[in-house]
Amino acid sequence: MATGRLSDDERRILAEMERALRRDRRLDKRLSTLRWRPGLSRLTSYTPHPLAVALLLSVSIGLMVTGITTAAPPVIWAFAALWPLTLYALFRLVYRRAES
């Protein structure tokens, strides 16, 4: 195979083949499951469900109030573990809503 540029005919044929492959939804779905995605891109594309965020927020607030009133270390640690996840989900939800 030559390492030079493709001719106009070859580029046209290649573009037609790519268009035909892009239209095949089954192939696209099958290939997308095989793609390796780094964890960071999956994390940044996360869109939480509003009910899940509401549940996280209510549990976090409940743990905070319980931790303040009882001063029990397991409750405080549970709040400390859950609060950053709640904030992240809340910020992602607000960002996605503002973006659309």
Side-chain angles (χ1 to χ4, degrees), residues 63 67-68 71-81:
L63 284 172
I68 289 171
V75 176
I76 295 171
W77 280 107
F79 170 74

Side-chain angles (χ1 to χ4, degrees), residues 4-98:
R5 304 226 203 239
L6 296 175
S7 69
D8 289 336
D9 289 335
E10 290 171 332
R11 273 187 262 156
R12 182 184 47 79
I13 292 170
L14 183 60
E16 288 174 8
M17 289 170 52
E18 288 174 348
R19 262 182 278 164
L21 288 174
R22 270 191 232 113
R23 282 187 297 231
D24 189 354
R25 290 186 180 171
R26 260 190 348 193
L27 177 65
D28 187 46
K29 185 175 182 176
R30 190 175 252 180
L31 289 176
S32 69
T33 60
L34 297 176
R35 288 185 196 127
W36 178 78
R37 293 186 231 176
L40 189 58
S41 71
R42 269 195 307 183
L43 189 63
T44 57
S45 67
Y46 168 67
T47 304
H49 194 276
L51 291 176
V53 174
L55 180 66
L56 277 172
L57 193 58
S58 63
V59 170
S60 293
I61 291 172
L63 284 172
M64 180 180 66
V65 169
T66 306
I68 289 171
T69 56
T70 63
V75 176
I76 295 171
W77 280 107
F79 170 74
L82 191 61
W83 184 243
L85 298 174
T86 304
L87 284 179
Y88 179 73
L90 184 65
F91 287 145
R92 290 300 299 174
L93 182 66
V94 169
Y95 177 76
R96 290 290 178 183
R97 296 287 173 156

